[in-house]
């Protein structure tokens, strides 16, 4: 299979929640060979984990990141093409009076230049980017 989806942090971390959303879990299983994530998301997950005190929760999260995410999900980089698209979109949005968070712009750029659908529970963070395809697996809604 080929890659179709780029997972945002809130989707990729769903399996670690005490009660994961069953819709997200079903979609993760259904598309397990079609998903990737962004290097920025990988950073956010690692950073969040490393900020936790030593605990069972942190150990479980570290195990999930290493044994599930690292071994099974491609991590796509923010490269020159991503940076170019991001700069164009960021400039366009700032001129409209909208200033998206820098990391969200990077994630959006990676999805866009790799022709992937960005899967997120935070549609409002990404909806102003032009021609970016979005899905919310928490609601199974396509935008």
């Amino acid at each position: 299979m080929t890659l179709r989806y780029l997972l945002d942090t809130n989707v990729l971390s769903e399996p670690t929640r005490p009660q994961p959303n069953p819709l997200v879990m079903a979609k993760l299983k259904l598309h397990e060979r079609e998903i990737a994530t962004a290097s920025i998301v990988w950073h956010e997950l690692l950073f969040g984990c490393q900020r936790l005190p030593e605990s069972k929760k942190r150990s479980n999260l570290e195990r999930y990141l290493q044994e599930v995410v690292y071994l099974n999900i491609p991590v796509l980089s923010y490269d020159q093409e991503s940076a170019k698209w991001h700069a164009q979109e960021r400039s366009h949005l700032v001129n409209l009076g909208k200033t998206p968070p820098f990391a969200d712009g990077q994630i959006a750029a990676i999805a866009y230049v790799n022709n992937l659908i960005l899967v997120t529970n935070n549609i409002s963070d990404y909806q102003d980017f032009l021609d970016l395809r979005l899905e919310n697996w928490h609601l199974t809604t396509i935008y």
Side-chain angles (χ1 to χ4, degrees):
M1 288 195 162
T2 59
L3 295 178
R4 290 182 55 202
Y5 301 101
L6 188 83
L7 304 184
D8 196 7
T9 307
N10 53 52
V11 177
L12 197 50
S13 63
E14 189 67 29
T16 67
R17 297 177 62 79
Q19 295 183 351
N21 181 306
L23 297 172
V24 174
M25 297 306 292
K27 288 282 199 170
L28 287 170
K29 180 73 174 153
L30 179 65
H31 298 294
E32 67 185 345
R33 303 178 126 220
E34 300 172 299
I35 60 175
T37 195
S39 54
I40 291 81
V41 169
W42 180 239
H43 165 267
E44 289 177 341
L45 292 168
L46 290 172
F47 178 67
C49 182
Q50 292 172 10
R51 292 188 62 218
L52 292 172
E54 292 295 331
S55 63
K56 184 177 179 181
K57 179 179 179 177
R58 179 175 171 163
S59 295
N60 289 339
L61 185 54
E62 287 172 335
R63 188 170 22 267
Y64 169 72
L65 292 176
Q66 291 304 317
E67 295 176 9
V68 176
V69 178
Y70 182 77
L71 294 178
N72 298 295
I73 300 174
V75 176
L76 305 179
S77 296
Y78 182 77
D79 59 12
Q80 286 182 315
E81 197 63 29
S82 301
K84 178 181 175 185
W85 185 87
H86 183 202
Q88 291 168 342
E89 281 300 298
R90 188 171 176 215
S91 174
H92 169 76
L93 292 173
V94 167
N95 287 339
L96 294 176
K98 301 174 182 181
T99 306
F102 194 82
D104 290 349
Q106 291 178 301
I107 294 166
I110 293 168
Y112 182 84
V113 301
N114 286 285
N115 196 30
L116 300 175
I117 299 165
L118 178 56
V119 181
T120 182
N121 192 31
N122 296 331
I123 295 296
S124 62
D125 292 347
Y126 297 99
Q127 66 189 8
D128 293 324
F129 291 100
L130 295 176
D131 301 322
L132 183 64
R133 295 177 300 151
L134 301 168
E135 286 188 17
N136 184 345
W137 288 356
H138 288 79
L139 306 172
T140 65
T141 301
I142 299 173
Y143 295 85

